[in-house]
């Protein structure tokens, strides 16, 4: 965390944009804690609340857009070519795409709030060839809501902003385990339905 604090203090709003792009694309960055810290900096008068909010939103929006285009350009062809070697058939790819068309808007919006999920929703959108206008609407609305809530939380908590770090280390792990269990359940359900 010290590295991110140093980068933000040295490079300011540009650092926020770059760090959040990396975090959304998939680098191991504690995004919620970082956003809360940025909120604390606005509380302490070290940064402008509006510029911090806009920078964080820009980084999140650019990051998920990069994920989308990587998924669209590399994801599906890669899966179709090499997927069968890992028991990922064309049918499974098509099924995943259908699921994303059904639940995509919800996943894009709430994905930011679930560590692990926010890193894959952009890729899944691209792989599924999800309409970019719809993707943008839900992904960018989710991004703005996410950065607004955590930066505002950091500003409101002030000197106690670090509470979020403790909370997210515990809750983030639980949410990730829950997401993994739901994924396993859906895979088993799909395989059971396929056998029938």
């Amino acid at each position: 965390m010290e590295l991110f604090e140093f980068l933000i203090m040295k490079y300011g709003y540009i650092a926020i944009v770059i760090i959040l792009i990396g975090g959304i694309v998939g680098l191991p960055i504690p995004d919620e804690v970082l956003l809360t810290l940025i909120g604390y900096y606005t509380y302490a008068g070290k940064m402008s609340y509006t510029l911090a909010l806009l920078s964080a939103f820009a980084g999140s929006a650019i990051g998920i857009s990069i994920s989308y285009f990587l998924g669209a350009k590399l994801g599906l062809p890669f899966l179709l070519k090499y997927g069968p070697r890992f028991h990922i058939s064309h049918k499974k790819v098509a099924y995943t795409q259908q699921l994303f068309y059904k639940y995509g808007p919800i996943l894009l919006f709430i994905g930011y709030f679930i560590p692990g999920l926010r890193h894959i929703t952009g890729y899944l959108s691209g792989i599924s060839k999800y309409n970019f206008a719809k993707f943008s609407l839900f992904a960018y609305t989710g991004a703005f809501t996410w950065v607004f809530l955590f930066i505002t939380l950091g500003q409101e908590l002030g000197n106690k902003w670090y509470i979020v770090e403790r909370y997210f280390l515990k809750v983030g792990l639980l949410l990730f385990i829950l997401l993994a269990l739901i994924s396993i359940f859906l895979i088993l359900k799909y395989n059971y339905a396929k056998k029938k």
Side-chain angles (χ1 to χ4, degrees):
M1 201 61 204
E2 291 84 15
L3 172 63
F4 301 126
E5 291 181 50
F6 168 77
L7 290 172
I8 290 169
M9 283 294 95
K10 185 167 175 82
Y11 300 105
Y13 304 106
I14 297 294
I16 293 174
V17 173
I18 293 169
I19 292 168
L20 279 168
I21 288 172
I24 298 297
V25 169
L27 296 178
I29 294 170
D31 298 309
E32 287 87 1
V33 178
L34 179 72
L35 291 170
T36 310
L37 173 64
I38 293 165
Y40 165 71
Y41 286 155
T42 67
Y43 161 82
K46 296 178 180 179
M47 302 189 103
S48 157
Y49 175 80
T50 304
L51 291 176
L53 188 64
L54 291 173
S55 301
F57 170 69
S60 303
I62 293 168
I64 201 161
S65 298
I66 289 170
S67 300
Y68 175 91
F69 288 114
L70 284 174
K73 297 292 179 190
L74 303 175
L76 189 58
F78 180 84
L79 278 179
L80 292 176
K81 186 173 182 181
Y82 297 104
R85 294 181 187 180
F86 302 99
H87 305 290
I88 301 171
S89 65
H90 292 246
K91 276 187 178 180
K92 286 182 182 175
V93 172
Y95 178 72
T96 304
Q97 288 176 312
Q98 288 172 355
L99 276 179
F100 200 82
Y101 274 104
K102 190 173 183 181
Y103 301 110
I106 296 166
L107 292 174
L108 284 167
F109 186 83
I110 67 162
Y112 288 96
F113 296 90
I114 304 171
L117 186 58
R118 72 172 154 266
H119 303 115
I120 62 169
T121 52
Y123 294 108
L124 282 175
S125 301
I127 287 169
S128 302
K129 300 293 184 189
Y130 197 68
N131 179 277
F132 187 73
K134 285 184 182 177
F135 162 82
S136 301
L137 174 65
F138 294 106
Y140 299 166
T141 304
F144 184 80
T145 305
W146 180 61
V147 299
F148 172 78
L149 286 174
F150 280 96
I151 289 176
T152 304
L153 180 63
Q155 187 180 52
E156 291 299 314
L157 287 173
N159 291 328
K160 296 181 181 178
W161 71 271
Y162 59 86
I163 292 170
V164 173
E165 183 173 17
R166 292 181 192 165
Y167 175 78
F168 262 89
L169 286 175
K170 293 176 185 174
V171 175
L173 180 62
L174 290 174
L175 285 172
F176 182 76
I177 290 169
L178 180 64
L179 181 65
L181 291 173
I182 290 169
S183 300
I184 291 167
F185 171 75
L186 289 173
I187 290 167
L188 291 173
K189 184 179 174 186
Y190 169 76
N191 286 336
Y192 178 76
K194 189 179 173 186
K195 284 177 185 176
K196 273 195 160 187

